[in-house]
């Protein structure tokens, strides 16, 4: 049985980076993944160019861009390995990149450049470290044994796989969540956590389109493909989310950055409040149109929102199909309120198949925020998406992968 300083299960962003950090420090690492392709989630993200971090992450309060039941847990790792740190690594590898929107950084050429960077880091350099990769390789079982030597408790993790068996005093679980099962996502990491007595926070799809039942959505299905900037909000008090981003109508519901963002805050039964003309006083604009225009109300409305949306708001209501000057004040006020605060309750989401991330996961109250090690199970670490840490859309989840992977990779020790 081959022995390593550490075994990392999961060769995605967090696992690859952690293995590379450890190898650069001179450790021997076994990296295991069941998928056919390496780092497929990196490869497909950002339209194939990977939104690998976000320059706008606040180093003084990085947790404000992340969700979880233990909201301050992620602060330590994110403050110690910042977007600027990863940007420096990208620059040292000569990878060209650009900022697209709100601090979001993408590779100029391809996400393959980023995967090549991570593989190169795993080479270990002059440190003498190394990363052995078993892929595709399915882990069948994990065992832990503890023994005492010179009064010190020494633990060992053994894995059995279709590549054989291996052991190490440290085991890192970086298997991600359940989002996008077609590229290999499973609940493996959660099962390992349960095996060793760690608690789990209920999981659900995050950064995911929202859906509505057929009858309720029928009046809006014809708007599929329409996109526009909106303000969207849901929830209450500490659980409230609000974003100013683009919204996209689909045949089944709503998508686009605004809805993906708000989906992480939305809970079943809660309405969304959407402002289709943020920054505009719709009531005043419609009142002015009534006083000064002879055009149909829908034409005046089309100056404030896209024409297709204006038609959807006015079609089927004879009063609203009149010239603006003939529409009663009460009807104008009601229309203005609907546009400025349209409340609609989703019936569900598109699920893990279209979710970019998984909310919930390994309860971070059972992990060290400094090292990612389980507090009651020595030598066992959880990093990346498998933990109950979920970032906003826009590169924040990859930054959590780098930061948590770095914290863990720095904490791993050489076997005695």
């Amino acid at each position: 049985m081959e022995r390593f300083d550490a075994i990392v299960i999961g060769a995605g962003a967090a696992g690859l980076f952690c293995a590379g950090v450890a190898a650069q420090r001179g450790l021997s690492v076994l990296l295991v993944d069941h998928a056919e392709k390496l780092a497929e989630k990196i490869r497909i993200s950002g339209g194939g160019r990977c939104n690998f971090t976000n320059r706008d992450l606040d180093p003084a309060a990085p947790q404000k861009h992340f969700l979880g039941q233990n909201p301050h847990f992620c602060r330590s790792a994110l403050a110690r390995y910042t977007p600027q740190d990863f940007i420096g690594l990208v620059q040292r590898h000569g990878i060209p990149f650009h900022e697209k929107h709100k601090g979001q950084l993408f590779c100029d050429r391809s996400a393959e450049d980023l995967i090549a960077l991570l593989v190169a880091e795993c080479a270990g350099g002059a440190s003498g470290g190394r990363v052995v990769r078993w892929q595709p390789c399915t882990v069948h079982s994990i065992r832990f044994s503890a023994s005492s030597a010179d009064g010190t408790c020494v633990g060992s993790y053994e894995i059995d796989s279709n590549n054989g068996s291996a052991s190490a005093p440290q085991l890192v679980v970086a298997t991600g969540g359940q989002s996008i099962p077609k590229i290999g996502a499973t609940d493996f990491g959660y099962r390992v956590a349960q095996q060793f007595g760690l608690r789990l926070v209920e999981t659900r799809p995050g950064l995911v389109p929202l859906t509505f039942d057929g009858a309720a959505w029928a009046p809006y299905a014809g708007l599929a493909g329409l996109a526009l900037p909106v303000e969207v909000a849901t929830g209450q008090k500490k659980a409230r989310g609000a974003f100013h981003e683009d919204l996209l109508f689909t045949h089944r519901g709503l998508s686009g950055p605004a809805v993906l963002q708000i989906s992480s805050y939305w809970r079943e039964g809660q309405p969304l409040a959407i402002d289709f003309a943020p920054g505009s006083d719709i009531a005043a604009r419609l009142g002015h149109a009534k006083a000064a225009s002879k055009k149909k109300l829908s034409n005046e409305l089309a100056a404030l929102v896209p024409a297709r949306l204006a038609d959807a708001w006015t079609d089927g209501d004879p009063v609203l199909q009149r010239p603006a000057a003939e529409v009663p004040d009460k009807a104008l006020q009601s229309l203005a309120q609907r546009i400025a605060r349209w409340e609609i309750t989703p019936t569900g989401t598109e699920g893990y198949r279209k979710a970019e991330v998984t909310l919930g996961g390994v309860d971070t109250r059972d992990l060290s925020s400094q090292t990612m090690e389980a507090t009651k199970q020595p030598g066992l670490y959880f990093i990346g998406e498998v933990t109950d840490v979920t970032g906003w859309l826009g590169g924040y989840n990859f930054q959590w992968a780098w930061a948590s992977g770095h914290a863990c990779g720095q904490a791993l020790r050489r076997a005695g």
Side-chain angles (χ1 to χ4, degrees):
M1 180 184 297
E2 194 168 359
R3 186 166 176 81
F4 297 85
D5 292 320
I7 298 172
V8 179
I9 303 178
L16 269 168
F17 194 58
C18 176
V21 170
Q24 296 289 331
R25 296 178 53 242
L27 277 67
S28 63
V29 180
L30 174 62
L31 182 60
V32 185
D33 198 293
H34 72 286
E36 292 283 342
K37 294 182 179 179
L38 181 68
E40 184 69 355
K41 199 166 187 180
I42 294 177
R43 184 176 287 106
I44 67 173
S45 70
R49 293 191 176 182
C50 190
N51 178 194
F52 58 83
T53 193
N54 195 299
R55 205 192 292 270
D56 289 350
L57 191 146
D58 184 353
Q63 72 279 4
K64 74 181 183 182
H65 295 107
F66 293 82
L67 293 82
Q69 289 196 0
N70 183 15
H72 291 280
F73 172 83
C74 62
R75 180 173 184 167
S76 175
L78 289 165
R80 287 182 289 130
Y81 194 83
T82 67
Q84 288 67 36
D85 291 320
F86 193 76
I87 291 167
L89 180 63
V90 169
Q91 291 172 327
R92 289 195 294 276
H93 281 260
I95 298 174
F97 63 91
H98 60 280
E99 182 173 333
K100 190 173 181 180
H101 176 65
K102 292 188 176 181
Q104 300 169 13
L105 302 186
F106 291 77
C107 298
D108 282 357
R109 295 184 297 237
S110 166
E112 296 285 357
D113 286 347
L114 203 62
I115 297 172
L117 176 157
L118 296 170
V119 171
E121 289 294 301
C122 285
S127 66
R130 64 189 177 103
V131 176
V132 174
R133 197 166 87 239
W134 288 0
Q135 187 178 15
C137 175
T138 301
V139 175
H140 301 303
S141 64
I142 299 170
R143 295 181 301 279
F144 174 76
S145 58
S147 60
S148 296
D150 301 325
T152 303
C153 183
V154 179
S156 178
Y157 293 89
E158 296 179 1
I159 66 166
D160 293 323
S161 75
N162 55 356
N163 257 36
S165 300
S167 68
Q170 298 157 117
L171 178 69
V172 181
V173 180
T175 50
Q178 294 173 273
S179 52
I180 321 182
K182 70 179 181 181
I183 63 170
T186 73
D187 65 348
F188 181 89
Y190 310 139
R191 287 186 273 122
V192 175
Q194 289 179 310
Q195 177 184 342
F196 290 102
L198 278 75
R199 292 169 289 183
L200 297 179
V201 174
E202 182 182 3
T203 59
R204 56 192 176 92
L207 300 181
V208 64
L210 299 174
T211 58
F212 301 81
D213 66 42
W217 194 245
Y220 313 105
L223 294 173
L226 175 65
L228 72 161
V230 302
E231 284 186 0
V232 60
T234 195
Q236 297 178 344
K237 296 182 180 179
K238 290 185 179 181
R240 181 174 172 80
F243 295 93
H244 188 167
E245 289 276 9
D246 285 353
L247 173 145
L248 173 68
F249 283 86
T250 73
H251 290 291
R252 288 167 48 84
L254 296 172
S255 188
V259 171
L260 297 185
Q261 292 278 40
I262 209 67
S263 71
S264 294
Y265 292 83
W266 177 75
R267 293 286 187 172
E268 187 173 350
Q270 288 182 341
L272 304 180
I274 303 173
D275 183 350
F276 285 100
S280 296
D281 186 338
I282 297 294
R285 297 281 294 272
L286 293 180
H288 177 76
K290 177 175 180 175
S293 175
K294 296 181 180 180
K295 295 179 182 179
K296 289 182 65 176
L297 177 62
S298 59
N299 292 336
E300 291 293 340
L301 191 57
L304 304 175
V305 299
R308 289 172 63 191
L309 186 59
D311 290 340
W313 285 128
T314 56
D315 282 353
D317 187 334
V319 173
L320 298 180
Q321 291 178 335
R322 300 175 186 173
E326 299 177 14
V327 178
D329 290 344
K330 187 175 181 179
L332 285 180
Q333 292 169 1
S334 177
L335 177 61
Q337 289 173 359
R338 289 177 68 198
I339 296 170
R341 187 178 175 83
W342 185 43
E343 289 202 355
I344 187 166
T345 303
T347 52
T349 77
E350 291 285 4
Y352 288 117
R353 68 188 183 93
K354 289 194 175 181
E356 295 194 15
V357 294
T358 302
L359 293 153
V362 177
D363 195 326
T364 56
R365 293 175 299 175
D366 291 342
L367 303 177
S368 163
S369 63
Q370 298 292 313
T371 65
M372 307 294 126
E373 185 176 14
T375 53
K376 296 181 180 179
Q377 179 62 39
L380 180 63
Y381 301 76
F382 292 84
I383 59 175
E385 189 183 343
V386 74
T387 64
D388 177 32
V389 177
T390 303
W392 288 5
L393 185 73
Y396 293 103
N397 287 292
F398 275 118
Q399 186 58 38
W400 172 242
W402 316 138
S404 60
H406 185 268
C408 179
Q410 287 288 337
L412 295 174
R413 303 169 294 277
R414 290 190 187 186

